[in-house]
Amino acid sequence: MADLVNLTINGVAIQAPAGTLLIDAAKKVGIEIPAFCYYEGYSLQAACRMCLVEVEKMPKLQTACTLPVGEGMVVRTESDPVVKARKTTLEFLLTNHPLDCPVCDKGGECELQDMVFRYGAGESRFTEMKHHVDEKQWSPVVFYDGPRCILCYRCVRVCNEGMGVGALGIVNRGVNSEIAPSHGDHLECDECGMCIDICPVGALTSGTYRYKTRPWEMKHVGTICTFCSNGCKTTLGVRDQQIVRGNNRDRSGINDEFLCVKGRYAFDFVESPERLTSPMMKVNGQLQEVSWAKALAAVAAKFSEVKGRGGKFGVVGSTKTTNEENFYLQKFVREGLGTNNIDHHRSGDLVTLIDALAGRENALASVGDVYNAKAALVIGTDLSQEHPLLAFQLRANYRHHNSNIYMVTKGPVREDAVAVAAVRAEAGQEIAALDQLREQLSKESELLVLFGGSVKGEAVRKLVAFADSLGIAKIKYICLVDYSNSRGALDMGLLPDLGPGYKPVDKAGLSLPQMMAATDLDVLWVVGANPLARYQLASKPFVVVQEMFLTETAKAADVVLPASNAYEKSGTVTNVTGEVQKLHVAGKTMGTKPDLEIIGLIAKEMKINAGVWSSNAVFEEIRKAVRGYNIPLPIIATGQAAQTSPLNGRVPVASAPELIQPAGNTLFTSGSLGRYSKKLTSVLEYPGQLYRP
Amino acid sequence: MLFNPPSPLEIKVLTKRFGLPNSAHIDTYLANDGYQAFVKSLDMTQDAIIQEVKDSNLRGRGGAGFPTGMKWGFCPRNSPKPKYIVVNSDESEPGTCKDRVLIENDPHLLIEGVLIAAQAVGAKAGYIYVRGEYRYLIDILDKAIGEAYAKGYLGKNILGRGVDFDLYTHTGAGAYECGEESALLESLEGKRGQPRIRPPFPAVAGLYQCPTVLNNVETFAAVPSILQMGGKAWADLGVPKAGGTKLTCLTGHVNKTGVYELPLGFPVDKMINEVGGGMRSGKKMKAFIPGGSSCPVLTGDEAWPLTMDYDAMAKAGTMLGSGGVIIMDEDTDMVKAALRIMHFYQHESCGWCIPCREGTTWIKKLLTRLNNGIGTGKDIDLVGDLANNMLGRTFCPLGDAAALPTASIVKKFRHEFEAKIKSTMVAIPAAANNPFVVV
Amino acid sequence: MTFSPQLEAKLEKLINSYPAGRRKSALIPMLMFTQDEVGSVTPELVNEVAKRIGIPPVQVDEVVTYYSMLHKKPMGKYHVQVCTNISCLLWDADKLYEHACHKLGLGHKEVSPDGLISLEEVECMGACSWAPAVQVNYDFHHHVTAEKFDEIIEALKKTKTQ
């Protein structure tokens, strides 16, 4: 702990650690010093001059954003000279700022509006011509309105420092200065929209949201993004049942304000015209719309018939459905249908890791650890593309804590720029390459190891052995899995050989490829997955599919049941680091039902009591049945994340590394889901788009 | 060669070689005491060199007037980082043209000053940042640097004394702001010439975040004579607290405009009437700017009794500045002058901070209007008020530089603004007789 | 893009003037020197310089648009720059500039149709004691009167016919 310094702000005696900036010290005691350019976590600018304060014994007003606290300092943040300075700075700022607040996207949540309201530059003495330039479009999602820009340079810094992309610059001089995109007239970047989000005014606006609504007409639903495994909180702005915006301005959740292009813009799959809104059954080889009652009755009748004659079921679970749905599904399948033939698309070898780490405590890292670890070793993944939040945290860790980062990847990656060492190794050869880093790594006092899906089976055990041999006291791991609830699918036991909490079952069922290859499958039940995009069916079973879209698998179905998605239901999901968070309903699509309800209704129709199909009730069961899930409810109820740890004893099953297939998604793709987001496809089709380091 | 006939009242210390045949050549330089001070410095400790400079009361000649010895003393000599010498030859302050004359006539004097500074702090490399417009000076400097390398005054193992020093020229590309030391460093690093947050100051974290001694051309050029004469003797040329001579550029309405080396504390009247040969056409002096257009403007009456030194000028409410004396006679249109000065700062404002970027633009628009006689008394007040609103609140001194002359002109020559408005005023019928006014 | 051998040699020397890893320092001089040869900072030149320095083009653009001597559009073969700043103004530089506009038939930053001459009203160029001053490319002309200005221009025009 740094030495404490005594100072007085507005007559209040306070203490702050030496080196603290005055603006932060004041904030800690509830005194807000206004600023546009100052932004916690990014480099200092002292450009907007709004945070000027009066400090005794200093001749001029000082910028609180650059002045460290000093012993005996006497500061006034709202004295007459300070207020006058702010008022006149605002007057200057408004001279060339268009007063088009009535049509500006930012109106109502604009920091400039708030500041003018507070310091009241209500009357303008400016009677000259305003400086004007036309608005520009830089990409499908980024628009820039120069005159509105107050040049706080937040966007430049978040892109450069936060994202590691550096796609924005400042061009021209003086009053003509403006922000410019990376390639003359257009952007080649992540399209993450962080620049838009961080803009205090309406200078940067988003292609999805602009001119759609006023901010106060929306209700804001904080839920979890359904696109990748990182588990970012996205606050969806909903108007008239329609999602019009995604951001995380309230900085709740494990991602603070970070979101990537998918979390921020790709929610529009929800309202895709291709969305299924009615159950369908195959009549004469054609899928036809039918009522829910008819479809459910047909499914139940078929399931009962096959169960009755001891026929063969194959069940494929989802990597995107909730923990409750996954748990309920495997329970119904195991107890109700009497089979262990259940599996899902596995993208990382967590099972072997849990076995290799048996008996250890605190060996699995959280997202917070990625920001705090003193050293990190990243193996076999393009983190910025596949795990954008973890990459963002890793960069922030480097920026704020100067952590040592080691990269072992196939090709060059963005993280190389902040790494102390970067080693190239083909997929599957990463472990052999680790020895090159042994000397450097063994000097670390703690280490965080992140590994992708190419490290599986024995390689995971070798990796753990290698890390153990370094003599580092504190080592934590993240096994990278790829989809929004990949982790939950594993934890809930959507596996033929392991039940919830990685408890082995008596008699292992068929794995996903085995089901596909079986010649005598009677029923294939697919809940939110698209196995036929990757496999061919060897037999001709009765196929039941719960889906949002007519995917390859749904097209082959005998019955299709239209499902809701993560933004339309409640429940919990578990992210890549085992952190459980709650979903909240943002909107509904008529005709669809959540998978939990669909499974419940099938069970009811079959007269099987699988328990109440409410997510709260099922989660209570999960807390009792699944190792590590006995988490404090208030944490998730208040929108926070609770980390679970499945580590305990050995997992006595043979890992099947061949079943692990990393998704290999980029920032702009997300398996079948991404295809149905117009925004994401428009970004993909935009020329010269994909940013590569 | 660019120099004006010298005045007998000059004390020629820095300019003593001006007018010698081939004065820029190293042979001329060596034949006239050249590099003797540097040779002397090789036998001095770093502390002793810095002490001499401190004793000389040399203050930065770029305009800010910060004590040079103290600045060198701030440089952490035991830092493991490389140290750099950077010469500010981005002479852009309107009214100032002395560094140009110094380099053109005697480039080796600058090189020697840099070498001594390098000795004082243990620097191994230096850069001379020359404004883009002075391209021919870069050629002169490159030639002189080449001569110095050839004679063993630059490079490895200088004069066989185990000292290494490399010196390079670096061109700017047209930006007044780069005369500000931290902006100059940004520019030297290949970025936009925007000033840095200070502290840390360049002495501690300058070029490439390494300890850096950064001074104006004239400041470095003064150092060889300080070492040769001894700091105290050099100080005695000037006034207490400000030693030596200062290159003074006489510009505007005097008969003999030119660059003159005058001791600090030289009387203004003597400078204009004797050195400058009196006011042009015998007119009266209306306004006086002591050191570049950034200084508050004095009226003629205020200026006549003053002396050219830091304290006297500060007491009179202005600054000694860069040495660019601007003299305006009774026929000068002060509104136009104010506009031209603001036009400059508006053009050169880098745009980084709000008060300067928007303030200079607004005031320029107002002054343009007032210069055309369009406006009211309120507009005149507004100019002064806006200038004061910029003052002391901008990121770097450019805001003050724009505000100070403007505020002083509005205050001291308000009647000229009013006269312009009056001269173009259209007669408006009294309200009672005006059909457009509802009484 | 390749430049003349002389310029290539100059750029090579330039790059070596800065410490290892500080290549970006060469950016502004490189733009100035190459602009002299190419005529203006073309998009092609921006990319070339970015490549040689090893920085994204946007960082070159940031600099090009900041410095007043770097031009994205070509100026004339002879770029005539008239200072009208305060010290020159006191010697009637505003009238000289007006004369220049009439004489050349050009306004601020305009280029003659044959590309020979361009005109720019510039800020203080450091010739204050020899006002009013004009710069043609990098050459200074001092105490310029209307007559002297005409002589300068006529001399420039003659170079075309030669």
Side-chain angles (χ1 to χ4, degrees):
Chain A
M1 184 82 190
D3 295 339
L4 288 175
V5 166
N6 295 290
L7 67 156
T8 310
I9 304 181
N10 297 350
V12 184
I14 69 159
Q15 286 193 315
T20 311
L21 296 172
L22 194 51
I23 197 167
D24 291 330
K27 200 172 167 188
K28 287 262 155 59
V29 293
I31 296 169
E32 195 208 336
I33 299 175
F36 291 119
C37 70
Y38 176 74
Y39 207 85
E40 222 177 319
Y42 295 105
S43 59
L44 303 178
Q45 313 287 290
C48 74
R49 319 307 287 174
M50 283 303 292
C51 71
L52 288 174
V53 293
E54 206 181 347
V55 182
E56 271 185 17
K57 297 193 185 109
M58 290 196 182
K60 293 203 286 191
L61 298 179
Q62 300 289 315
T63 46
C65 72
T66 57
L67 188 67
V69 293
E71 184 64 39
M73 207 177 243
V74 179
V75 182
R76 279 180 287 273
T77 71
E78 295 289 338
S79 62
D80 288 347
V82 170
V83 169
K84 181 168 187 266
R86 285 184 194 147
K87 197 170 167 171
T88 56
T89 300
L90 286 168
E91 186 184 30
F92 280 137
L93 201 48
L94 290 179
T95 57
N96 284 311
H97 187 89
L99 298 174
D100 60 349
C101 309
V103 294
C104 177
D105 275 350
K106 207 72 180 187
E109 48 185 13
C110 169
E111 292 181 36
L112 179 57
Q113 274 187 339
D114 294 349
M115 213 80 95
V116 173
F117 189 80
R118 179 165 158 190
Y119 290 99
E123 206 175 290
S124 177
R125 298 183 289 176
F126 184 78
T127 53
E128 320 301 319
M129 290 278 279
K130 278 181 189 267
H131 175 77
H132 181 79
V133 286
D134 290 338
E135 194 186 30
K136 302 174 187 85
Q137 181 175 10
W138 288 344
S139 87
V141 292
V142 185
F143 288 72
Y144 176 69
D145 189 340
R148 285 185 191 156
C149 178
I150 60 169
L151 294 167
C152 66
Y153 318 113
R154 285 187 194 175
C155 53
V156 177
R157 284 172 286 161
V158 79
C159 189
N160 197 10
E161 301 167 21
M163 301 308 300
V165 173
L168 297 175
I170 310 155
V171 296
N172 303 336
R173 184 162 90 185
V175 76
N176 299 311
S177 299
E178 56 181 34
I179 306 300
S182 57
H183 285 68
D185 60 348
H186 72 280
L187 272 171
E188 288 182 21
C189 69
D190 283 1
E191 305 291 346
C192 65
M194 288 294 283
C195 53
I196 299 170
D197 208 28
I198 208 167
C199 181
V201 294
L204 286 160
T205 52
S206 115
T208 55
Y209 174 73
R210 62 204 309 268
Y211 302 128
K212 272 219 173 126
T213 183
R214 315 286 11 224
W216 55 86
E217 292 172 334
M218 291 182 285
K219 79 177 173 151
H220 303 278
V221 182
T223 191
I224 308 305
C225 174
T226 188
F227 277 96
C228 85
S229 65
N230 289 186
C232 293
K233 173 79 91 58
T234 175
T235 302
L236 299 172
V238 184
R239 193 183 74 163
D240 300 339
Q241 295 289 313
Q242 188 197 20
I243 304 171
V244 288
R245 184 168 87 174
N247 69 20
N248 205 35
R249 286 314 294 160
D250 65 356
R251 309 181 84 149
S252 60
I254 53 176
N255 49 316
D256 203 54
E257 62 190 338
F258 173 81
L259 279 180
C260 74
V261 60
K262 289 180 231 176
R264 199 179 302 281
Y265 302 119
F267 52 76
D268 63 341
F269 72 89
V270 168
E271 52 176 23
S272 161
E274 293 177 61
R275 205 49 208 280
L276 300 175
T277 53
S278 164
M280 292 193 285
M281 280 173 66
K282 204 161 261 176
V283 181
N284 300 326
Q286 294 287 313
L287 282 169
Q288 286 183 359
E289 291 193 358
V290 294
S291 70
W292 270 102
K294 197 171 170 189
L296 288 168
V299 172
K302 184 69 183 178
F303 283 12
S304 298
E305 181 255 320
V306 172
K307 185 190 170 192
R309 64 176 162 88
K312 192 176 272 185
F313 284 94
V315 181
V316 182
S318 174
T319 50
K320 290 187 184 294
T321 49
T322 63
N323 289 326
E324 292 76 2
E325 289 165 336
N326 294 347
F327 183 85
Y328 198 81
L329 175 68
Q330 64 81 32
K331 185 181 164 198
F332 171 65
V333 168
R334 291 194 159 105
E335 293 172 11
L337 302 180
T339 177
N340 281 322
N341 296 348
I342 184 165
D343 204 350
H344 72 286
H345 175 187
R346 310 176 201 180
S347 51
D349 197 354
L350 184 66
V351 173
T352 307
L353 182 69
I354 290 172
D355 187 45
L357 297 178
R360 301 190 198 188
E361 280 178 9
N362 293 324
L364 297 179
S366 65
V367 168
D369 289 325
V370 183
Y371 175 65
N372 287 310
K374 292 196 172 76
L377 170 63
V378 182
I379 306 169
T381 176
D382 188 342
L383 214 58
S384 290
Q385 293 289 321
E386 298 169 272
H387 300 277
L389 170 61
L390 300 184
F392 181 80
Q393 295 287 57
L394 200 63
R395 277 191 296 273
N397 190 1
Y398 168 76
R399 208 165 65 243
H400 298 155
H401 311 134
N402 204 16
S403 60
N404 291 338
I405 296 165
Y406 302 86
M407 302 301 298
V408 181
T409 56
K410 197 174 158 199
V413 291
R414 193 182 303 168
E415 289 71 39
D416 289 352
V418 293
V420 288
V423 172
R424 301 282 93 97
E426 285 301 314
Q429 307 297 312
E430 293 96 342
I431 303 304
L434 284 176
D435 261 331
Q436 299 174 46
L437 297 172
R438 178 179 292 279
E439 203 189 320
Q440 275 174 288
L441 284 170
S442 53
K443 290 187 187 122
E444 299 294 347
S445 60
E446 62 172 80
L447 185 65
L448 169 69
V449 182
L450 301 95
F451 64 93
S454 59
V455 180
K456 51 192 179 182
E458 273 312 296
V460 177
R461 293 184 203 281
K462 282 186 191 158
L463 173 61
V464 173
F466 169 81
D468 285 344
S469 73
L470 294 169
I472 299 171
K474 194 174 155 198
I475 303 177
K476 286 191 179 189
Y477 295 86
I478 296 175
C479 169
L480 297 168
V481 290
D482 290 340
Y483 295 103
S484 61
N485 205 23
S486 282
R487 181 64 183 267
L490 288 161
D491 288 352
M492 296 305 126
L494 295 187
L495 293 165
D497 44 4
L498 291 169
Y502 304 91
K503 285 180 203 147
V505 297
D506 293 341
K507 185 175 173 291
L510 299 179
S511 69
L512 177 52
Q514 285 167 340
M515 293 172 208
M516 295 294 153
T519 51
D520 56 347
L521 200 63
D522 293 301
V523 167
L524 177 67
W525 181 15
V526 180
V527 180
N530 190 12
L532 295 193
R534 297 187 294 146
Y535 298 100
Q536 282 197 319
L537 264 173
S539 54
K540 285 201 162 40
F542 184 79
V543 180
V544 178
V545 177
Q546 296 173 209
E547 240 315 335
M548 272 189 287
F549 301 104
L550 210 54
T551 60
E552 289 86 340
T553 308
K555 277 181 191 149
D558 294 281
V559 181
V560 182
L561 302 169
S564 312
N565 55 57
Y567 299 153
E568 296 169 337
K569 59 191 170 194
S570 49
T572 62
V573 287
T574 309
N575 79 342
V576 63
T577 50
E579 291 168 83
V580 176
Q581 302 180 88
K582 239 172 143 49
L583 298 179
H584 291 276
V585 179
K588 292 250 160 131
T589 300
M590 279 293 283
T592 68
K593 290 182 193 298
D595 292 289
L596 184 61
E597 188 180 341
I598 300 173
I599 303 161
L601 288 171
I602 294 171
K604 185 184 169 215
E605 198 75 18
M606 290 174 71
K607 310 230 167 6
I608 294 172
N609 185 2
V612 186
W613 57 82
S614 93
S615 54
N616 283 344
V618 180
F619 193 69
E620 265 313 306
E621 238 181 296
I622 293 172
R623 291 179 73 209
K624 289 183 193 111
V626 183
R627 187 195 298 150
Y629 274 73
N630 190 15
I631 48 171
L633 287 180
I635 291 190
I636 58 167
T638 50
Q640 301 170 74
Q643 200 187 10
T644 60
S645 176
L647 290 186
N648 196 336
R650 301 290 303 266
V651 184
V653 300
S655 162
E658 69 280 4
L659 298 185
I660 290 158
Q661 297 185 348
N665 281 321
T666 70
L667 274 172
F668 306 115
T669 61
S670 181
S672 20
L673 190 57
R675 302 198 304 236
Y676 297 96
S677 161
K678 258 193 199 162
K679 223 15 121 187
L680 217 49
T681 23
S682 75
V683 167
L684 256 181
E685 286 161 2
Y686 190 65
Q689 191 45 243
L690 284 175
Y691 172 82
R692 288 288 178 213
Chain B
M1 279 293 156
L2 184 72
F3 71 99
N4 40 277
S7 158
L9 291 168
E10 283 185 82
I11 294 185
K12 301 197 70 88
V13 180
L14 274 65
T15 59
K16 67 180 176 188
R17 292 177 202 85
F18 284 26
L20 292 178
N22 219 356
S23 68
H25 198 275
I26 193 164
D27 290 341
T28 315
Y29 191 64
L30 286 170
N32 292 277
D33 307 336
Y35 289 113
Q36 290 309 303
F38 168 61
V39 171
K40 191 175 173 188
S41 77
L42 288 169
D43 293 321
M44 293 169 75
T45 63
Q46 295 184 330
D47 287 328
I49 300 172
I50 292 174
Q51 192 55 50
E52 285 290 347
V53 178
K54 280 184 180 164
D55 289 346
S56 75
N57 284 342
L58 172 63
R59 292 169 67 165
R61 297 300 194 226
F66 193 82
T68 306
M70 204 192 282
K71 199 170 178 181
W72 292 14
F74 291 149
C75 183
R77 281 173 274 150
N78 51 5
S79 160
K81 291 182 178 176
K83 287 119 208 137
Y84 292 102
I85 309 292
V86 176
V87 181
N88 185 345
S89 180
D90 190 60
E91 181 171 65
S92 319
E93 177 70 27
T96 317
C97 48
K98 64 191 175 60
D99 297 341
R100 184 180 156 203
V101 179
L102 260 177
I103 293 175
E104 182 171 344
N105 288 283
D106 201 356
H108 286 283
L109 179 65
L110 171 61
I111 298 173
E112 184 174 5
V114 169
L115 276 166
I116 295 167
Q119 273 299 99
V121 298
K124 299 263 175 288
Y127 296 91
I128 306 175
Y129 185 103
V130 185
R131 66 179 300 191
E133 290 85 347
Y134 287 178
R135 174 67 65 83
Y136 80 107
L137 292 187
I138 292 188
D139 297 338
I140 291 173
L141 278 167
D142 282 342
K143 186 165 171 280
I145 289 171
E147 291 165 357
Y149 270 101
K151 295 261 182 195
Y153 288 98
L154 284 172
K156 295 261 173 289
N157 193 16
I158 292 171
L159 301 178
R161 299 291 297 267
V163 176
D164 300 340
F165 189 75
D166 288 306
L167 185 60
Y168 308 95
T169 53
H170 180 105
T171 179
Y176 168 72
E177 184 59 22
C178 293
E180 196 278 340
E181 58 180 11
S182 65
L184 183 147
L185 291 170
E186 287 285 292
S187 181
L188 187 48
E189 291 183 12
K191 301 178 211 158
R192 294 161 64 81
Q194 275 157 350
R196 293 176 179 171
I197 294 170
R198 294 180 301 167
F201 288 93
V204 178
L207 185 61
Y208 313 129
Q209 295 300 312
C210 296
T212 302
V213 166
L214 200 169
N215 285 113
N216 172 260
V217 171
E218 188 188 345
T219 313
F220 282 115
V223 172
S225 51
I226 289 170
L227 252 60
Q228 280 195 301
M229 295 169 66
K232 292 218 162 63
W234 202 88
D236 289 342
L237 294 172
V239 291
K241 286 202 270 177
T245 58
K246 170 97 196 72
L247 265 63
T248 305
C249 320
L250 289 187
T251 79
H253 299 148
V254 286
N255 282 319
K256 293 185 200 165
T257 57
V259 178
Y260 302 95
E261 184 171 5
L262 302 174
L264 277 154
F266 200 84
V268 168
D269 59 348
K270 217 167 152 187
M271 177 176 77
I272 294 174
N273 288 331
E274 297 179 37
V275 178
M279 293 296 293
R280 191 177 67 171
S281 316
K283 301 257 180 177
K284 270 179 71 181
M285 178 162 74
K286 185 197 267 183
F288 176 88
I289 301 179
S293 67
S294 304
C295 305
V297 178
L298 298 177
T299 62
D301 293 345
E302 284 172 327
W304 283 120
L306 298 176
T307 54
M308 293 292 286
D309 61 82
Y310 298 95
D311 289 350
M313 287 300 166
K315 219 182 267 174
T318 183
M319 313 180 287
L320 185 65
S322 64
V325 176
I326 304 167
I327 293 152
M328 298 177 232
D329 72 16
E330 57 192 289
D331 295 338
T332 309
D333 179 344
M334 293 310 288
V335 182
K336 198 167 166 183
L339 169 61
R340 189 62 189 84
I341 290 172
M342 188 50 76
H343 175 91
F344 171 70
Y345 290 106
Q346 194 272 340
H347 183 259
E348 299 299 336
S349 169
C350 75
W352 185 252
C353 75
I354 294 166
C356 175
R357 178 177 78 230
E358 306 292 346
T360 53
T361 307
W362 187 358
I363 297 176
K364 185 186 126 185
K365 284 175 178 172
L366 272 170
L367 286 173
T368 307
R369 198 149 56 74
L370 289 170
N371 187 44
N372 292 331
I374 302 163
T376 65
K378 260 190 180 173
D379 292 325
I380 308 170
D381 296 336
L382 187 54
V383 171
D385 195 31
L386 295 178
N388 283 321
N389 288 349
M390 278 166 67
L391 198 61
R393 295 180 193 159
T394 53
F395 186 97
C396 81
L398 195 143
D400 291 354
L404 287 168
T406 310
S408 62
I409 293 176
V410 170
K411 195 171 153 209
K412 292 172 185 173
F413 301 96
R414 191 189 166 91
H415 54 279
E416 292 200 24
F417 290 79
E418 287 167 345
K420 271 215 172 169
I421 294 171
K422 235 177 221 165
S423 70
T424 56
M425 208 179 262
V426 180
I428 296 173
N433 301 324
N434 187 338
F436 299 108
V437 175
V438 180
V439 184
Chain C
M1 249 176 136
T2 48
F3 307 110
S4 67
Q6 298 92 314
L7 182 55
E8 289 287 358
K10 196 171 182 174
L11 297 182
E12 167 99 32
K13 187 171 168 248
L14 176 71
I15 290 268
N16 292 326
S17 304
Y18 307 97
R22 303 295 185 183
R23 198 167 250 261
K24 197 180 171 187
S25 275
L27 178 57
I28 293 159
M30 190 182 277
L31 284 166
M32 285 286 277
F33 298 152
T34 51
Q35 176 182 259
D36 290 344
E37 188 168 296
V38 176
S40 64
V41 184
T42 59
E44 197 191 3
L45 182 57
V46 167
N47 289 332
E48 177 66 22
V49 170
K51 202 176 80 194
R52 288 187 184 217
I53 304 267
I55 52 172
V58 67
Q59 292 189 18
V60 180
D61 256 338
E62 285 190 314
V63 162
V64 172
T65 55
Y66 181 88
Y67 293 94
S68 57
M69 292 179 73
L70 295 170
H71 304 287
K72 290 186 118 177
K73 284 187 195 130
M75 289 293 147
K77 186 179 172 200
Y78 300 108
H79 188 43
V80 178
Q81 300 148 83
V82 181
C83 172
T84 59
N85 208 312
I86 184 76
S87 291
C88 285
L89 180 76
L90 296 176
W91 287 82
D92 295 330
D94 52 341
K95 295 191 183 80
L96 177 68
Y97 176 66
E98 226 179 286
H99 172 80
C101 291
H102 286 294
K103 169 80 185 165
L104 296 169
L106 299 174
H108 181 59
K109 285 192 183 177
E110 284 182 357
V111 191
S112 64
D114 60 358
L116 188 73
I117 294 173
S118 52
L119 181 66
E120 185 177 356
E121 181 184 4
V122 295
E123 296 302 343
C124 181
M125 55 173 73
C128 320
S129 289
W130 304 280
V134 169
Q135 232 187 340
V136 179
N137 295 343
Y138 294 110
D139 297 332
F140 280 93
H141 299 270
H142 297 131
H143 298 304
V144 181
T145 56
E147 296 72 37
K148 200 168 161 188
F149 183 84
D150 292 351
E151 281 167 30
I152 296 167
I153 297 302
E154 292 310 323
L156 295 180
K157 283 183 176 165
K158 266 191 198 136
T159 63
K160 199 193 173 190
T161 51
Q162 275 163 9

